[in-house]
């Protein structure tokens, strides 16, 4: 659950949020829509604790997971010996389930593949799978359909429609 009361945030002379308030209940699915520069990614930074509101209260109850638009540097991915260890370190899924997920997102690699050898787009897909498998209480996804074709978009949208916890998504993609 997330509760914001009279929350303000800004930097320099720009006010991004002024005395804003909202409540997101456990299990809610929320889409953040707006033009570039509207403060969507800034809100994610605040929810992850990277930035602090300049005033007001923000209460976050539960573990927060986050997947950015693109994975540029992920120490866990770089250190992982293989894809399976990276996306499912707690062994929540069977190998065949992981392979179905990889194929659905068009990651054409075996579970034994070292993730650091993959392209940026494939790394981002792995980070998305890792977050989904971990099932944090609050999952923040910034443009999760980037790097996906039509089949991958359909699969991820169907999968996320059944996500059991709170889901907050930034997306410009309506297809």
């Amino acid at each position: 659950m997330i509760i914001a009361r009279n929350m303000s945030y800004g930097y320099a002379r720009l006010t991004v949020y002024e005395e804003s308030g909202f409540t997101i209940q456990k299990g809610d699915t929320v889409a953040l829509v707006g033009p570039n520069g509207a403060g969507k990614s800034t809100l994610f930074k605040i929810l992850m604790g990277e930035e602090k509101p300049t005033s007001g209260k923000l209460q976050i109850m539960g573990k927060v997971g986050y997947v950015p638009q693109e994975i540029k540097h992920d120490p866990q991915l770089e250190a992982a010996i293989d894809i399976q260890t990276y996306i499912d370190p707690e062994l929540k899924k069977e190998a065949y389930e992981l392979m179905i997920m990889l194929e659905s997102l068009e990651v054409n690699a075996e579970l034994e593949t070292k993730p650091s050898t993959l392209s940026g787009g494939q790394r981002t897909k792995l980070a998305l799978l890792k977050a989904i498998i971990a099932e944090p209480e609050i999952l923040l996804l910034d443009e999760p359909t980037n790097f996906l074709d039509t089949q991958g978009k359909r699969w991820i949208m169907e999968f996320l429609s059944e996500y059991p916890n709170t889901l907050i998504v930034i997306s410009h993609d309506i297809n």
Side-chain angles (χ1 to χ4, degrees):
M1 176 187 276
I2 303 170
I3 302 170
R5 297 285 178 256
N6 299 315
M7 185 179 77
S8 295
Y9 178 82
Y11 46 92
R13 293 184 177 157
L14 177 65
T15 299
V16 181
Y17 299 105
E18 188 170 8
E19 296 185 15
S20 299
F22 58 87
T23 300
I24 300 173
Q25 300 287 339
K26 181 180 178 180
D28 283 353
T29 299
V30 176
L32 298 178
V33 180
N36 289 337
K40 301 177 300 293
S41 295
T42 299
L43 179 59
F44 272 19
K45 288 178 182 177
I46 293 169
L47 294 175
M48 292 182 308
E50 291 179 8
E51 299 286 342
K52 301 285 182 211
T54 51
S55 66
K57 290 188 175 193
L58 177 64
Q59 195 175 13
I60 300 173
M61 291 158 267
K63 181 181 174 192
V64 178
Y66 168 67
V67 181
Q69 288 185 35
E70 182 178 3
I71 300 298
K72 294 181 181 172
H73 178 66
D74 179 349
Q76 291 179 336
L77 184 141
E78 298 298 329
I81 58 171
D82 59 33
I83 289 174
Q84 184 168 9
T85 304
Y86 175 69
I87 65 174
D88 190 17
E90 296 176 13
L91 304 174
K92 292 181 175 184
K93 303 281 184 188
E94 296 290 330
Y96 77 91
E97 293 174 294
L98 296 175
M99 286 306 299
I100 290 170
M101 295 172 120
L102 290 171
E103 289 171 14
S104 297
L105 293 182
E106 291 191 320
V107 177
N108 300 317
E110 298 299 319
L111 291 174
E112 299 79 21
T113 302
K114 188 166 178 60
S116 62
T117 65
L118 299 175
S119 71
Q122 290 177 317
R123 290 174 181 215
T124 301
K125 292 174 185 180
L126 293 182
L128 181 58
L129 289 177
K130 178 180 180 167
I132 289 169
I133 292 167
E135 288 188 346
E137 287 86 0
I138 301 165
L139 180 56
L140 309 175
L141 301 177
D142 192 348
E143 295 284 348
T145 57
N146 279 359
F147 305 108
L148 299 180
D149 68 355
T150 303
Q151 174 191 336
K153 288 177 184 179
R154 190 170 312 137
W155 181 84
I156 199 68
M157 286 191 263
E158 287 176 19
F159 193 92
L160 292 175
S161 71
E162 298 176 14
Y163 189 72
N165 299 323
T166 303
L167 176 62
I168 306 174
V169 179
I170 295 173
S171 183
H172 299 107
D173 190 346
I174 57 172
N175 293 321

